[in-house]
Amino acid sequence: GAVVSQHPSWVICKSGTSVKIECRSLDFQATTMFWYRQFPKQSLMLMATSNEGSKATYEQGVEKDKFLINHASLTLSTLTVTSAHPEDSSFYICSATRSRLASSYEQYFGPGTRLTVT
Amino acid sequence: TQLLEQSPQFLSIQEGENLTVYCNSSSVFSSLQWYRQEPGEGPVLLVTVVTGGEVKKLKRLTFQFGDARKDSSLHITAAQPGDTGLYLCAGPNTGGFKTIFGAGTRLFVKA
């Protein structure tokens, strides 16, 4: 199989605090991980692409200083939402692939993390 | 800009009915994937189509890739309540460094 886990599955935090979300590929080595954000009843919005050992590539409009991404190993990527605000409340989903090229692989998604900022 | 347009956006049908969901683009894609997502969960890959004109079947689900590789369809036969969910089509952008997603079709199958 190709299993991706996320932790935590849901988190509530106070405005101004930081939250870290972990994404792990459990049974394969992921050269590339993607972080998405999904608002209710909408499709996935790509936030950033993370390759092991290098800096993440952020999509236009995504603040790199606010959404810190670290891909320190082939099985773990983390997303830290710094100084969270209520508008950061959303469903965050990661995915992992075995290849750096989207055209030659299929993405395997984690179960998502529901973040609520109060 | 490569876009994937899905239709319909929302579909509510009775158990046992058939339905087709469409995914269209003006751009050629090297492959297209279909995912199903249930509320509060991540998308689950259903199928990847690669060859123009390709047809793949997954139990009651039939996926077709257009001859020109610009469109795809998903046909569900005798829909069941367990088919309820958000169906997303997706494909690699030019250069293949990231995936483009359609807006999704939200399906609700009533018992």
Side-chain angles (χ1 to χ4, degrees):
Chain A
V3 181
V4 176
S5 70
Q6 278 184 244
H7 178 80
S9 56
W10 61 271
V11 58
I12 301 173
C13 71
K14 292 186 176 181
S15 186
T17 62
S18 295
V19 174
K20 180 184 284 189
I21 302 170
E22 293 186 348
C23 177
R24 293 181 185 272
S25 56
L26 299 184
D27 53 1
F28 67 100
Q29 293 186 327
T31 55
T32 304
M33 287 183 170
F34 299 87
W35 285 95
Y36 294 88
R37 186 173 178 176
Q38 186 176 35
F39 291 104
K41 299 186 178 181
Q42 293 188 24
S43 188
L44 284 72
M45 183 192 81
L46 180 66
M47 298 176 67
T49 302
S50 169
N51 290 309
E52 183 265 338
S54 61
K55 290 184 178 180
T57 301
Y58 290 80
E59 294 300 299
Q60 192 172 9
V62 178
E63 299 175 59
K64 63 177 72 174
D65 294 331
K66 181 170 185 59
F67 299 99
L68 301 178
I69 292 173
N70 184 277
H71 193 159
S73 76
L74 285 172
T75 59
L76 173 65
S77 177
T78 60
L79 167 67
T80 301
V81 183
T82 63
S83 187
H85 291 286
E87 57 265 30
D88 298 324
S89 298
S90 189
F91 193 52
Y92 292 86
I93 308 175
C94 73
S95 71
T97 75
R98 292 185 174 92
S99 165
R100 293 180 185 272
L101 293 179
S103 59
S104 60
Y105 68 89
E106 293 149 342
Q107 292 187 49
Y108 302 97
F109 286 86
T113 297
R114 170 81 51 200
L115 170 64
T116 301
V117 184
T118 60
Chain B
T1 303
Q2 289 176 288
L3 293 173
L4 286 170
E5 296 181 349
Q6 286 188 242
S7 61
Q9 292 183 347
F10 181 79
L11 194 55
S12 179
I13 61 172
Q14 289 291 140
E15 181 177 6
E17 293 183 2
N18 301 331
L19 66 116
T20 302
V21 175
Y22 300 94
C23 176
N24 295 298
S25 178
S26 58
S27 305
V28 175
F29 281 84
S30 58
S31 68
L32 283 179
Q33 287 113 30
W34 285 92
Y35 294 85
R36 188 178 88 189
Q37 184 182 22
E38 298 189 29
E41 299 182 12
V44 174
L45 178 67
L46 297 175
V47 79
T48 296
V49 286
V50 180
T51 306
E54 182 177 8
V55 176
K56 282 190 174 179
K57 291 192 175 183
L58 186 65
K59 296 182 180 179
R60 294 177 293 99
L61 278 60
T62 301
F63 304 86
Q64 187 162 6
F65 201 12
D67 291 341
R69 291 185 288 134
K70 292 182 178 181
D71 55 87
S72 181
S73 64
L74 158 60
H75 182 79
I76 300 179
T77 303
Q80 298 176 359
D83 296 326
T84 293
L86 177 67
Y87 289 82
L88 297 161
C89 70
N93 72 327
T94 302
F97 291 110
K98 60 183 179 183
T99 298
I100 297 169
F101 281 87
T105 293
R106 194 164 296 277
L107 171 65
F108 182 66
V109 182
K110 294 174 282 188

